[in-house]
Amino acid sequence: STPTNRFVYTLAGGGAASAAVLGYALSAQGTRGATPLKLGLAGVVVGTFLATASLALLSLVNQAFDAVRFWTAGSLKGRDLGALLAVMPYLVLGLAAALVLGAQFTALSFGSETARSLGQDQGRWRIAAALIVVLLAGGSVAIAGPLGFIGLIVPHMARLVVGGSYSRIVPVALLGGAALALAADTAPRAIWNNDIPVGITMAVL
């Protein structure tokens, strides 16, 4: 039911937020703080730990193992309008904030010294960026599973096409990510007449 979906997706969003906070806290250790390299390494550590913990829990609940295993591969199969509506408020809020605050994130991407010279409070805007990522990535993963390669491919392609302004990158990445996910979902059925999870097709791409 819709109330159940909302409850489950709210829990998923809370889990995404907790993982983001833990990853940032780990990367902030040391004298240089949360550098991009340390953020990436901390994300790998937290993600690996949570994946292992999830498998350990699933091993105790056999009837849920097959369903969750299919979800972890990333799939659009069986996702109805109710699932989308349950997370729509989070996605709309995150997308609207990303579009409105694009100029601030562009300044932040120039580096610490440039951002400070522009009078930007980096700590506040990094927190804002993290919250937006939690809303958008958490909501998307709750529906379709961890299609991580979209985040690794599409934003960089968008940057090559439209330049470094996040006010342009965000809408192009939005459309490009949706198109790539649909193509990855449709291609196996069109070519081999076989339904393969999107996450597997994305890994091949």
Side-chain angles (χ1 to χ4, degrees):
S1 64
T2 300
T4 300
N5 285 340
R6 289 199 184 100
F7 176 70
V8 170
Y9 292 137
T10 299
L11 288 180
S18 300
V21 170
L22 179 58
Y24 188 86
L26 288 175
S27 66
Q29 302 302 311
T31 56
R32 298 184 60 188
T35 64
L37 176 60
K38 290 167 66 178
L39 276 170
L41 292 174
V44 170
V45 170
V46 172
T48 302
F49 169 76
L50 292 178
T52 304
S54 298
L55 288 175
L57 289 174
L58 288 172
S59 67
L60 303 177
V61 187
N62 293 329
Q63 61 268 29
F65 185 79
D66 288 338
V68 175
R69 182 180 59 180
F70 188 77
W71 174 84
T72 55
S75 176
L76 302 181
K77 184 177 181 180
R79 303 305 188 264
D80 56 16
L81 185 60
L84 178 62
L85 292 177
V87 299
M88 184 64 75
Y90 308 107
L91 296 176
V92 170
L93 178 60
L95 180 60
L99 291 171
V100 171
L101 302 176
Q104 295 292 341
F105 300 136
T106 301
L108 190 64
S109 70
F110 291 153
S112 300
E113 293 185 5
T114 302
R116 275 197 298 267
S117 68
L118 296 173
Q120 186 183 66
D121 184 344
Q122 296 177 75
R124 181 174 64 183
W125 290 110
R126 283 177 177 170
I127 292 174
L131 291 175
I132 291 172
V133 168
V134 167
L135 289 172
L136 293 176
S140 301
V141 171
I143 296 177
L147 304 180
F149 285 100
I150 292 180
L152 293 174
I153 296 172
V154 176
H156 298 291
M157 294 175 65
R159 183 187 295 273
L160 290 174
V161 173
V162 300
S165 172
Y166 279 85
S167 298
R168 295 193 299 268
I169 290 175
V170 170
V172 172
L174 169 69
L175 297 175
L180 185 59
L182 287 174
D185 181 57
T186 305
R189 289 195 295 271
I191 298 174
W192 300 293
N193 195 26
N194 194 3
D195 191 11
I196 298 176
V198 181
I200 296 175
T201 311
M202 285 298 306
V204 174
L205 291 176

